[in-house]
Amino acid sequence: MALKPDMDVDLDAMAAAVGPDTGMVHICNPNNPTGRVLDGDKMRAFVRAASPKATVLVDEAYIELTDRPEYNSVAALVKEGHDLVVCRTFSKIYGMAGLRVGYAIGQPETIRKIRGYEMSFGGNTAGLAAAIAAYDDSVFTTWSKSRILEARAIMLAAIEKAGLEALPSQTNFLFVKVPDANKMKDAMAAKGIQIRGAYGKWSQYSRVSTGRIEDVTRYAAALPEAVRA
């Protein structure tokens, strides 16, 4: 995806790049690894303009964690008939990453084509049972989101105290600007804390996920020394 200097997705540049040879346009919103979310109205305008030219795939894995999930999502455009596929997962707010369950929303013909490329029978019994039970469990998802926001706030406070900056995030992770992401990873690993190293070409950004509050607190306490390492 094309990015602006502030690391936001450049929808105008992506729209300009769509041509007769474009088969699919892929956008992750909120974006991974930056954590930034695109404005819902701008996303809907982009889908309406691009989908007559190519299939638009929008990965909304983190959409439930945003401040305004319904506004930020473009899933409703599928019902309008646009050539759009929206992907969701139970790995984030539902906490089921190990069960590997997700789903796609799209036009019937598009979904039929996707089924022809499935590498399995489409899920496991435990994962599907858990997903069905959790889908409407608003009590749990509300609690889960509140804990993620609490953990993110602890991390942001520690990042600011350490003299660092993080991109605005509406996900369960932060993209923290550091001198060297791989050195930061090694310094944290020496303290028994696992974070990502350089994410692709972004060697000066450290991607750090939230977790249990006690683990996030350990990260916050170790950060000042890790920055100096």
Side-chain angles (χ1 to χ4, degrees), residues 39-128:
D39 176 77
D41 286 338
K42 291 181 180 179
M43 273 294 297
R44 280 181 281 278
F46 175 86
V47 171
R48 290 187 174 109
S51 59
K53 305 173 185 177
T55 300
V56 179
L57 172 64
V58 182
D59 181 348
E60 293 188 347
Y62 303 93
I63 200 73
E64 295 93 349
L65 298 174
T66 65
D67 294 339
R68 303 167 65 190
E70 292 187 7
Y71 171 76
N72 292 319
S73 175
V74 295
L77 296 187
V78 174
K79 289 185 177 180
E80 291 185 11
H82 296 283
D83 188 5
L84 168 69
V85 178
V86 175
C87 293
R88 298 278 185 87
T89 181
F90 286 86
S91 294
K92 311 306 176 186
I93 195 169
Y94 294 97
M96 300 182 190
L99 293 176
R100 315 310 296 168
V101 184
Y103 59 96
I105 307 168
Q107 301 305 324
E109 180 59 28
T110 304
I111 299 300
R112 281 193 289 269
K113 290 180 181 179
I114 293 172
R115 288 187 185 278
Y117 292 92
E118 287 180 347
M119 297 179 66
S120 70
F121 292 105
N124 60 85
T125 302
L128 292 172

Side-chain angles (χ1 to χ4, degrees), residues 132-185:
I132 292 169
Y135 185 77
D136 288 324
D137 190 350
S138 59
V139 173
F140 173 78
T141 54
T142 298
W143 175 85
S144 177
K145 186 172 183 177
S146 70
R147 297 293 276 181
I148 289 169
L149 295 180
E150 179 184 354
R152 201 170 71 195
I154 293 171
M155 291 163 56
L156 283 169
I159 289 163
E160 181 179 359
K161 187 175 181 180
L164 302 174
E165 294 181 356
L167 295 181
S169 174
Q170 293 206 19
T171 65
N172 62 336
F173 61 83
L174 293 170
F175 214 34
V176 187
K177 193 168 186 179
V178 297
D180 188 305
N182 286 331
K183 286 185 179 180
M184 176 65 73
K185 175 188 175 184

Side-chain angles (χ1 to χ4, degrees), residues 7 10 18 44 99:
M7 301 289 278
D10 192 338
V18 178
R44 280 181 281 278
L99 293 176

